[in-house]
Amino acid sequence: MNDDADADADGGTANDGSRLDWETTDSRIDYSCPGFDVRMDDVRLPDGTETDFHYVDEPPAVVILPFTPDGDVVLVEEWRQAVGHVNRGLPAGGTEPDDDDFAAAAHRELAEETGYEADTMEKFYVAEPANGIANSVHHYFVARGCEPTAEQELDFNESIRPTTTSYEELLAAVADNEILDGRTSLGVLQYELARP
């Protein structure tokens, strides 16, 4: 900010004591692993307190709601070590540093995870799914005309099996809390809300 007295839509003003934004005075990677980093920021809080803040630092991700020509949805069954069970949900993946076209990244991730390729890919939603602990941004796409015309190309630490289900069964599984995957639940419900 060049002028602390100026009003800020997100943070209030410096003079009225209502500012919420923190000042980052330094930032560094504390730990790196495949897929994400843990970053530590040195920050100054609105009341002047200086402290640090750790969060997951990861590239933008794409999440795909893929429809076959018959109207079924392509899902993935994937082992999730953090929760110790197989997760059923939408295909998703991180973008690469040189990805400037997220629709192309969504085409690539769909093919790599499922072996399905899409005729069309259209963005319909963007979310910050865990912005209290991560800088993740998820870009949601609906893919149409998906057919199994490619080979899966999984990362060394992925255990994934593609499957299909009807959209109605997927929606019911989300509504009945049978699907616990947050990315999937959010994507399906946002898609359903946006349908004409």
Side-chain angles (χ1 to χ4, degrees):
M1 305 273 165
N2 293 333
D3 185 351
D4 285 339
D6 287 345
D8 184 325
D10 295 326
T13 67
N15 294 337
D16 68 6
S18 66
R19 293 202 70 85
L20 296 175
D21 51 318
W22 298 0
E23 177 188 357
T24 302
T25 58
D26 195 16
S27 184
R28 60 202 163 279
I29 301 299
D30 254 8
Y31 176 75
S32 240
C33 65
F36 66 90
D37 298 322
V38 175
R39 179 173 289 279
M40 184 175 85
D41 289 350
D42 292 326
V43 296
R44 185 175 295 114
L45 307 184
D47 67 0
T49 301
E50 294 188 0
T51 187
D52 56 47
F53 183 79
H54 287 82
Y55 57 95
V56 174
D57 183 358
E58 64 179 356
V62 292
V63 185
I64 305 103
L65 176 59
F67 287 94
T68 68
D70 294 333
D72 286 340
V73 178
V74 181
L75 299 177
V76 292
E77 295 174 342
E78 180 173 9
W79 177 258
R80 291 300 194 184
Q81 181 64 24
V83 291
H85 63 76
V86 172
N87 178 75
R88 187 165 65 114
L90 298 177
T95 59
E96 301 296 333
D98 59 347
D99 280 335
D100 55 2
D101 180 349
F102 288 166
H107 275 284
R108 181 189 66 232
E109 289 297 321
L110 175 64
E112 288 179 358
E113 288 202 351
T114 68
Y116 280 74
E117 294 180 298
D119 286 340
T120 64
M121 191 74 66
E122 180 182 354
K123 185 184 272 190
F124 70 94
Y125 188 62
V126 178
E128 297 173 353
N131 59 19
I133 59 170
N135 65 0
S136 315
V137 178
H138 292 176
H139 299 262
Y140 285 79
F141 290 84
V142 60
R144 301 200 184 276
C146 299
E147 306 228 39
T149 54
E151 294 291 327
Q152 274 184 299
E153 294 181 31
L154 301 178
D155 292 338
F156 76 96
N157 59 353
E158 290 181 315
S159 299
I160 296 176
R161 177 175 52 230
T163 185
T164 59
T165 189
S166 71
Y167 176 75
E168 291 73 22
E169 288 174 351
L170 174 59
L171 182 60
V174 168
D176 294 341
N177 204 38
E178 293 172 13
I179 287 186
L180 299 178
D181 182 70
R183 291 183 302 196
T184 299
S185 297
L186 181 59
V188 170
L189 293 175
Q190 286 293 333
Y191 177 79
E192 182 66 15
L193 286 170
R195 290 174 78 189

